[in-house]
Amino acid sequence: MLRCILVFILLFLSLSTQADSFINRLLNKPVPGGVAVIPLPEGPAPSVQYQGKPVLVISDSAGWLAIVGIPLSVQAGSQNISVTQGSQQQQLAFNVQPRTYKAQHITLKNQQQVSPNPENLKRIERELALQNQAYRQFDPRQPSNLLFDKPVDGPLSSPFGLRRFFNGEERNPHSGLDFAVPQGTPIKAPAAGRVTLIGDFFFNGKTVFVDHGQGLISMFCHLSRIDVQQGDELIRGAVVGQVGATGRATGPHLHWNISLNDARVDPSIFIGAFKP
């Protein structure tokens, strides 16, 4: 009996340490479009999947932690991750809390950026396939840091998750943060990473993807200039390019996406600026 009590106390203390860890306080925002930090069992290095996709796993003072990106499309309620450690496999549950996102109405002069013609639709499909491939990469390296720097210094103009209406027609929700900064403002890498894709795309304009490791990926778009090449290894703070208004944009700004296990999540979480 005494042994059972001691085991329970040790387990409680372990879970309390995990709940109070820095990573948990920074990142654990388990809402649609957010991040769930899930303590994993002790033992050999685990591999984790969520919705069939590999998940970022780190080890800190709290032990093994799964850092799970939650797609905006996920409904509030119970979700599961699949954990493999050696020959052992198990499902761990976590709870997604509800979150409501506001709507944004935008007027565009170029009707092709609302309802593209067949030729432009083919271009959009090709470019979307390239970008989806970049989002789905899983480099096994550990990210250099999870508390990111802001890529530019300036006020936010559009938060993550807005339901977007272009000329009255609903389109995909806003998948990143917009910073209202002048044309030509240098954009800096918020963490070390490798440039995996650059391009000049129909909607996103001049675009750069930076892979920080284990499915944690930044995307910067609407640039006026790109200052890196595909395959470049970037240190934290390296200049990626300059702010512009290319693609579907009503004026100069930086749009910054963060993708985690191929789910676009709120970048404000990673800079300590998340607001419930």
Side-chain angles (χ1 to χ4, degrees):
M1 181 69 179
L2 179 60
R3 179 181 177 133
C4 289
I5 292 172
L6 288 172
V7 168
F8 175 80
I9 291 172
L10 289 172
L11 179 60
F12 175 79
L13 290 174
S14 172
L15 291 175
S16 296
T17 300
Q18 290 171 337
D20 290 337
S21 75
F22 169 75
I23 294 299
N24 189 80
R25 293 194 305 272
L26 174 69
L27 298 182
N28 191 42
K29 317 295 179 189
V31 297
V35 174
V37 177
I38 304 171
L40 301 175
E42 295 182 2
S47 63
V48 177
Q49 289 205 334
Y50 173 57
Q51 297 187 339
K53 296 173 182 177
V55 165
L56 167 61
V57 174
I58 66 165
S59 176
D60 74 353
S61 59
W64 295 113
L65 299 173
I67 314 297
V68 183
I70 305 169
L72 268 169
S73 59
V74 167
Q75 300 295 312
S78 183
Q79 294 283 307
N80 290 289
I81 57 172
S82 176
V83 182
T84 301
Q85 287 179 289
S87 60
Q88 302 296 315
Q89 291 186 335
Q90 62 179 308
Q91 299 287 313
L92 294 180
F94 66 98
N95 192 56
V96 177
Q97 301 166 5
R99 189 183 189 193
T100 301
Y101 292 96
K102 297 178 180 179
Q104 182 183 43
H105 293 264
I106 299 171
T107 300
L108 296 172
K109 294 180 181 179
N110 184 352
Q111 187 61 31
Q112 280 299 306
Q113 293 180 335
V114 180
S115 301
N117 62 31
E119 182 180 354
N120 281 329
L121 280 173
K122 289 181 181 179
R123 175 187 170 187
I124 291 164
E125 289 172 1
R126 290 194 304 270
E127 294 173 352
L128 182 61
L130 284 174
Q131 292 174 85
N132 284 339
Q133 183 180 17
Y135 279 129
R136 290 169 184 157
Q137 292 185 19
F138 192 84
D139 188 329
R141 78 171 102 184
Q142 284 276 343
S144 63
N145 51 286
L146 293 174
L147 175 59
F148 281 8
D149 298 328
K150 291 200 298 185
V152 293
D153 289 323
L156 295 178
S157 55
S158 292
F160 173 87
L162 290 171
R163 293 178 57 212
R164 306 194 88 176
F165 295 81
F166 291 95
N167 296 3
E169 298 184 28
E170 187 166 12
R171 293 295 184 260
N172 290 332
H174 193 224
S175 59
L177 288 183
D178 286 354
F179 292 86
V181 289
Q183 177 106 0
T185 301
I187 302 162
K188 298 180 181 179
R194 180 168 58 90
V195 179
T196 53
L197 179 66
I198 60 173
D200 191 350
F201 302 130
F202 184 84
F203 285 131
N204 288 350
K206 290 184 169 62
T207 300
V208 177
F209 280 71
V210 177
D211 188 336
H212 305 293
Q214 290 206 43
L216 180 58
I217 293 165
S218 283
M219 187 274 282
F220 311 95
C221 67
H222 306 309
L223 279 61
S224 61
R225 194 178 86 183
I226 295 173
D227 292 326
V228 293
Q229 295 183 347
Q230 192 162 321
D232 283 356
E233 294 286 347
L234 306 181
I235 63 171
R236 183 178 186 173
V239 174
V240 172
Q242 294 183 1
V243 169
T246 56
R248 186 166 66 183
T250 56
H253 70 282
L254 172 65
H255 175 96
W256 176 35
N257 271 17
I258 288 185
S259 186
L260 185 59
N261 50 265
D262 194 26
R264 261 50 89 205
V265 297
D266 191 343
S268 70
I269 295 170
F270 291 82
I271 57 175
F274 177 81
K275 295 180 180 179

